[in-house]
Amino acid sequence: MKKLFTRLLSFFNAIRSRIAFYPTVIALLGFLFTFLTLFLEEHGASGLLRKNFPSLIVNSGDTALSVLGAIITGLISMMVFSFSMVMVLLNQATNNYSPRLLPGLISDRKHQTVLGIYLATILYCIFIMVAIDPDAPPKDLPGFSVFLGILFTVICMGAFIYFIHTISQSIQISNILEYIYHESRNRLYKLLDSERNQTASFPDTDSWHVYEAKKSGYFQNLSIANMLDLCEEIETKFHVLPIKGIFILKGTPILRSEKELDDEKLDEILANFNFARKELVADNYVLAFKQITEIIAKAMSPGINDPGTAVNAIDYLTELLALRMLKKDSSIINRNDKCLLKLNTVDFKDLLYNILVTIRTYCSHDLIIIQKIGVMFHYLLQQEQKEDYYKDIILSEAKCFFSSALEAVETKNDIETIKNYAENLKIKLKTD
């Protein structure tokens, strides 16, 4: 039963980010609501409404069919326009910012909900039209259902106005950066909360039994609770080898176990690994650093040439790095004061290096970016750090960054500015 639940949870995590998920669910609810209104019609809902609010009831079958037909036609046009706007947003985000932004933008529930409301209303009106007999007397017409169709159309118009507002906000890079920042920050907060009762004591796993992945995909998530239950059940410990977010090839080592596992238990354990073909910031905070770094590089490219966007992105990057320094490099999960599970994570050194190597490559010639990165180094050194060696990592990367910047600039004033930033951090640069 637990294995089935895990598979269902993995399936839900895989489809919830797809653009058709919420529209399909809402449209299905609209279809089911049709049968509810027809059931109410059989119990006199139209007669009750006709008696109390006669002006709201359509008393002609032909008029009811014309009204519902016009509603369906108009809503289909609105839905096509809204879907086209979503495609424009995705195309602009790909060309101007980063292709990695697409999964997060596609999974935006606001846009999916609006499309779902359109579909639900269209399906509702279609099936109500089928139930209308144009030659029936007024008392036998589903006036209540037609009135609800008109009411739902008014709701769709409001949703369309809301959609235009949200789509105009979504294409702004400042809002995209803020969305990425909040998603990553929330994920980091969850990880920091889970580390409060962790201990760094875990045995060496080099001699443990190694097991390989049976399929390929991005390692998106892991069911921690189920893994801990299996550790206690089998009386063993696990070391999860891949870092969350990386692409795992079939046949590569994925798990180490203190005790040898049979095929049945191995399948049960591997069912807790959630693989996907796309990445989401809500599941892996490291992706946020990649996305923001790519936005910086794209903004500084000759085709875009937008240093203002790069500066704003560095501000968000600085805040996330400061939050990341509160987290340990190792991730060990305890239960009942026992170390049962070890997870490999991206350490701070690799994270900072991967960020700055991209910025050095594409932005070391721009003094504005150099100054902003200098401010970032100074700020990070003043923040609380979970590990003492984080400071040495920052200083080492700062020295490498400023040395690269010196090679990229030529004017005397720029060289002096870079040296001043390095001296403020007590870094000695080699100069000719």
Side-chain angles (χ1 to χ4, degrees), residues 89 248 257 271 360 379 393:
L89 166 65
I248 299 175
S257 174
R360 287 202 310 267
Y379 176 81
I393 294 172

Side-chain angles (χ1 to χ4, degrees), residues 191 194-195 197-199 201-202 222 224-225 227-228 231 237-238 330-343:
L191 294 176
S194 65
E195 281 189 354
N197 298 322
Q198 289 182 12
T199 178
S201 176
F202 199 84
L222 179 71
I224 300 295
M227 292 292 286
L228 292 176
C231 286
K237 297 177 181 179
F238 293 141
S330 60
S331 184
I332 299 173
I333 312 299
N334 299 345
R335 178 181 282 184
N336 300 326
D337 297 328
K338 294 181 180 179
C339 302
L340 299 178
L341 184 63
K342 181 178 180 180
L343 308 176

Side-chain angles (χ1 to χ4, degrees), residues 269-281:
I269 293 168
L270 294 182
N272 295 286
F273 288 76
N274 182 20
F275 292 91
R277 290 290 176 174
K278 60 181 68 175
E279 303 172 275
L280 295 174
V281 177

Side-chain angles (χ1 to χ4, degrees), residues 12 23 32 75 77 80-81 83 99 103-104 140 185 209 252 261 268 282 326 347-348 409:
F12 175 75
L32 297 176
L75 288 180
S77 299
V80 171
F81 176 78
F83 185 76
D140 294 332
R185 185 191 62 177
H209 302 279
T252 57
L261 306 172
E268 187 176 354
L326 299 176
D347 56 43
F348 184 73
V409 299

Side-chain angles (χ1 to χ4, degrees), residues 39-238:
F39 173 78
L40 295 176
E41 291 286 359
E42 295 178 357
H43 289 75
S46 292
L48 183 63
L49 186 63
R50 183 178 291 107
K51 180 179 178 181
N52 294 280
F53 303 98
S55 60
L56 300 179
I57 292 293
V58 177
N59 295 315
S60 171
D62 291 333
T63 303
L65 290 174
S66 299
V67 170
L68 292 177
I71 289 174
I72 293 172
T73 304
L75 288 180
I76 290 177
S77 299
M78 289 174 58
M79 185 177 66
V80 171
F81 176 78
S82 301
F83 185 76
S84 300
M85 289 295 293
V86 172
M87 294 299 102
V88 170
L89 166 65
L90 300 181
N91 183 62
Q92 180 173 343
T94 301
N95 294 332
N96 294 347
Y97 310 131
S98 170
R100 290 182 184 270
L101 300 178
L102 291 185
L105 295 175
I106 290 175
S107 61
D108 192 333
R109 296 182 182 179
K110 298 189 292 293
H111 302 159
Q112 295 182 17
T113 301
V114 171
L115 293 177
I117 292 173
Y118 293 162
L119 285 173
T121 305
I122 290 171
L123 289 177
Y124 174 83
C125 292
I126 289 174
F127 284 98
I128 294 300
M129 286 183 68
V130 174
I132 294 177
D133 182 4
D135 298 326
K139 64 182 182 66
D140 294 332
L141 291 174
F144 173 70
S145 300
V146 175
F147 169 72
L148 286 181
I150 297 173
L151 182 62
F152 291 155
T153 305
V154 175
I155 295 175
C156 287
M157 294 175 66
F160 179 73
I161 296 173
Y162 172 74
F163 176 82
I164 294 297
H165 169 73
T166 57
I167 203 74
S168 63
Q169 297 292 318
S170 298
I171 62 177
Q172 298 179 23
I173 185 59
S174 58
N175 292 325
I176 293 176
L177 286 171
E178 186 174 2
Y179 168 78
I180 297 172
Y181 166 74
H182 284 295
E183 288 289 314
S184 179
R185 185 191 62 177
N186 293 339
R187 180 62 182 171
L188 279 169
Y189 278 148
K190 291 181 181 179
L191 294 176
L192 291 174
D193 289 338
S194 65
E195 281 189 354
R196 291 179 179 176
N197 298 322
Q198 289 182 12
T199 178
S201 176
F202 199 84
D204 182 70
T205 64
D206 291 340
S207 60
W208 288 10
H209 302 279
V210 180
Y211 299 94
E212 299 174 345
K214 295 186 177 182
K215 60 181 180 180
S216 302
Y218 284 102
F219 178 31
Q220 189 173 13
N221 218 332
L222 179 71
S223 179
I224 300 295
N226 289 349
M227 292 292 286
L228 292 176
D229 291 339
L230 288 168
C231 286
E232 293 181 337
E233 178 184 342
I234 307 173
E235 296 183 351
T236 186
K237 297 177 181 179
F238 293 141

